[in-house]
Amino acid sequence: MSVITRNGPAGALTDDTLPRKKTALDAVLNFFRRQPLGTAGLAIMLVMFLAAAFANVLTPFDPEENDFQAMMQAPSWTHLLGTDQMGRDIFSRLVYGARTALLVGFSAAFAGGLIGLVLGVASAYFGGWFDLVFQRILDVLMAFPLIILALAVVSVFGTGVFNVILAITIPLIPRCGRVVRASALAVREIPYVDAARALGFGHTRIVLRHMVPNVVGPFLILLSAFVGQAILAEASLSYLGLGVQEPVPAWGLMLQGGAEEYATTAPWIAIFPGLAIVMAVLGISLFGDALRDAIDPKLRDR
């Protein structure tokens, strides 16, 4: 029998021949190597986060300041992306608009996702009348497209950032609850859930400590998709005049102000906010797809 030593005889196992334990850094580097599109999406998200975090440093002008002597100026060294019909610097409003997009997108996605996660797991665990009632409520909510249900909520509660977050959160709850419930039904049949009941664990402990961790994979993938949907929904509501209101910088609001009337005379007013929305949703979608491939064992080595 060979003895494991650092400097053993020929043929003996040494530290150099032992398999090295993978670290978190190895996992991150492997993700970058195997998922180039996901890495590109992550880079876009990082740019958004940095722009939102350091907006006051990156922007040369106040995004809410009107300059009627510089209305609709084309892109130049003074105004990198030009000015809008009120003389406001478009670059400054785009950078500050990233704060609004990220605030609404992540708040609505996490709120709707967490509520849907808890309700979906509870529905699968308890079953019976609770599952029946919960599924019928989901059927009613899922019958409405996200933007239509969000419009209904905004019409009741009014406009503003908080109300927009609430309006987008409500339609995301059934979308998360339905998917999580399907995964939790499979987890419920695993013997360790019955063992936890036999040991006298309460329902809350079984749901939160034994079932929720086993549906985190699909939940994380849903969250990444929800962030993109929430950003797009916020831009749509603001464009329709039912979301964020002036003078708060928001990409959809910037489109509302110049997308149609100034499409030919000052196209930069609509082009740059539109590109910002497209790049944000594209980056989050690419990262979400790559995260799905990395988490799902069936797709990991594709």
Side-chain angles (χ1 to χ4, degrees):
M1 177 178 179
S2 301
V3 179
I4 301 176
T5 61
R6 182 171 296 276
N7 298 310
L13 294 176
T14 64
D15 289 348
D16 295 335
T17 60
L18 290 176
R20 184 172 64 90
K21 184 179 180 180
K22 291 186 177 181
T23 63
L25 179 60
D26 294 329
V28 172
L29 294 177
N30 185 61
F31 177 85
F32 291 159
R33 180 177 60 86
R34 301 174 71 97
Q35 303 289 346
L37 292 179
T39 302
L42 180 60
I44 295 174
M45 294 175 61
L46 288 177
V47 170
M48 287 183 59
F49 277 108
L50 292 175
F54 301 100
N56 56 338
V57 178
L58 297 174
T59 53
F61 298 95
D62 185 344
E64 300 180 7
E65 181 181 359
N66 298 329
D67 184 0
F68 296 107
Q69 295 181 350
M71 294 187 300
M72 294 190 297
Q73 287 188 358
S76 63
W77 287 111
T78 304
H79 299 281
L80 295 179
L81 302 181
T83 60
D84 62 9
Q85 66 277 18
M86 304 295 291
R88 296 171 298 191
D89 184 65
I90 292 179
F91 175 76
S92 300
R93 291 184 63 79
L94 276 182
V95 174
Y96 274 91
R99 288 184 173 181
T100 304
L102 291 176
L103 174 62
V104 174
F106 279 89
S107 298
F110 274 93
L114 288 176
I115 297 173
L117 172 68
V118 174
L119 292 177
V121 173
S123 176
Y125 175 75
F126 291 108
W129 66 266
F130 180 84
D131 183 48
L132 179 64
V133 173
F134 179 68
Q135 290 305 305
R136 299 296 75 79
I137 295 175
L138 291 189
D139 290 340
V140 173
L141 294 177
M142 291 285 288
F144 296 93
L146 188 151
I147 189 63
I148 299 299
L149 190 55
L151 284 171
V153 175
V154 169
S155 65
V156 173
F157 293 99
T159 59
V161 175
F162 177 78
N163 290 336
V164 169
I165 293 174
L166 177 64
I168 300 173
T169 296
I170 293 176
L172 293 181
I173 293 175
R175 286 162 173 79
C176 181
R178 181 63 60 85
V179 176
V180 168
R181 174 183 174 272
S183 300
L185 285 173
V187 175
R188 187 186 63 178
E189 304 302 325
I190 299 178
Y192 71 76
V193 176
D194 295 329
R197 292 197 195 99
L199 290 173
F201 293 164
H203 296 312
T204 303
R205 180 174 180 177
I206 294 175
V207 169
L208 296 180
R209 296 191 60 181
H210 299 281
M211 294 191 67
V212 169
N214 287 279
V215 297
V216 167
F219 174 69
L220 291 177
I221 298 170
L222 279 175
L223 275 185
S224 63
F226 285 169
V227 173
Q229 293 179 21
I231 291 176
L232 194 58
E234 181 274 323
S236 301
L237 290 174
S238 297
Y239 177 77
L240 295 173
L242 297 173
V244 179
Q245 299 298 304
E246 292 281 8
V248 177
W251 295 339
L253 203 58
M254 295 171 68
L255 283 174
Q256 180 199 36
E260 299 175 358
E261 185 176 357
Y262 306 105
T264 55
T265 57
W268 56 85
I269 297 178
I271 290 176
F272 294 117
L275 286 177
I277 296 172
V278 170
M279 293 302 296
V281 176
L282 177 63
I284 294 171
S285 299
L286 290 176
F287 179 71
D289 291 342
L291 184 64
R292 178 201 60 196
D293 295 347
I295 291 177
D296 193 339
K298 298 178 181 178
L299 301 175
R300 190 175 300 158
D301 297 325
R302 186 176 59 181

